[in-house]
Amino acid sequence: MNPRLSITFIFGALLALATTLSISEPSYARGTTFYCGRSGGQYFTFARTEDGRIYRVMGWTSTDFPTPYNPKNRCYEVSSRFQRNYDNGTLRKIASGIVNRQPVICSGSDANTICNSRNLLFTLKTGANRKAVANRLFNRNALAAGKILTQNGDPDDIMFDFDIYFQQLTSE
């Protein structure tokens, strides 16, 4: 067989494989930016996709925390954590857990996600029902599609697929 023909065939096969893999990525896979913004007097963590669409990822209303942790400051801080985890490839699963004896919501890359200080998205009030808080902050319809699951046999702990959740959000 002609070596030049073999190289052309291999290159063509690799190009076809790369095209197939890029088509199967979630719609927000490249160039998504998470940021804090305001709508209707309320703060939200938004996501802007590469095609310019804007999605409300979650809302911020809780005044349970003392200053400086008001909804505005929490929104800005958590939106930057969404971005960091997205950039690190660890915004695939959203889970709940305990970090420093506080209930938290975190993100991870798979179903074995364990919350820690590196993947922390936000801290909840001591004694908070993590599942109830997730249902209040995240879009309920999209959560249903993301199949919010009880984790570790604890009815307060949750885990859901962020890719599926995100795909169910409606753009602004």
Side-chain angles (χ1 to χ4, degrees), residues 3 23 29 32 34 37 47 52-53 61 67 78 97 102 115 119 122 127 129 143 152 165:
I23 290 171
T32 298
F34 292 87
R53 293 183 185 187
T61 59
T67 304
V78 173
Q102 289 289 118
C115 296
N119 65 2
F122 54 95
N129 178 313
L143 273 178
N152 302 326
Y165 170 80

Side-chain angles (χ1 to χ4, degrees), residues 27-28 31-33 35 46-56 166-167 169-172:
S27 61
Y28 71 95
T32 298
T33 304
Y35 65 95
F46 288 98
R48 179 182 296 115
T49 57
E50 188 174 29
D51 63 5
R53 293 183 185 187
I54 297 173
Y55 300 87
R56 287 185 196 186
F166 194 86
Q167 291 169 6
L169 295 175
T170 312
S171 65
E172 302 271 308

Side-chain angles (χ1 to χ4, degrees), residues 36-104:
C36 179
R38 210 167 165 181
S39 177
Q42 182 180 345
Y43 288 95
F44 291 91
T45 293
F46 288 98
R48 179 182 296 115
T49 57
E50 188 174 29
D51 63 5
R53 293 183 185 187
I54 297 173
Y55 300 87
R56 287 185 196 186
V57 175
M58 62 182 297
W60 293 99
T61 59
S62 175
T63 55
D64 290 343
F65 293 89
T67 304
Y69 302 110
N70 58 36
K72 177 183 178 182
N73 291 342
R74 284 176 58 89
C75 178
Y76 278 98
E77 178 63 32
V78 173
S79 297
S80 70
R81 291 177 185 178
F82 266 89
Q83 187 67 51
R84 182 186 68 226
N85 285 307
Y86 170 79
D87 292 343
N88 291 339
T90 57
L91 191 57
R92 297 282 187 208
K93 300 288 184 186
I94 301 292
S96 63
I98 304 292
V99 174
N100 296 328
R101 294 187 228 165
Q102 289 289 118
V104 300

Side-chain angles (χ1 to χ4, degrees), residues 158-172:
I158 57 109
M159 178 173 285
F160 64 90
D161 188 305
F162 188 76
D163 293 339
I164 294 171
Y165 170 80
F166 194 86
Q167 291 169 6
Q168 298 304 311
L169 295 175
T170 312
S171 65
E172 302 271 308

Side-chain angles (χ1 to χ4, degrees), residues 96-157:
S96 63
I98 304 292
V99 174
N100 296 328
R101 294 187 228 165
Q102 289 289 118
V104 300
I105 302 292
C106 65
S107 70
S109 56
D110 59 38
N112 296 318
T113 295
I114 296 173
C115 296
N116 58 53
S117 60
R118 290 182 314 280
N119 65 2
L120 174 74
L121 291 173
F122 54 95
T123 303
L124 306 175
K125 186 176 177 181
T126 301
N129 178 313
R130 296 171 291 281
K131 189 171 189 175
V133 171
N135 278 318
R136 190 173 71 241
L137 295 176
F138 290 96
N139 178 298
R140 286 188 186 108
N141 294 332
L143 273 178
K147 297 183 174 73
I148 190 167
L149 303 171
T150 300
Q151 177 182 320
N152 302 326
D154 183 338
D156 284 351
D157 271 337

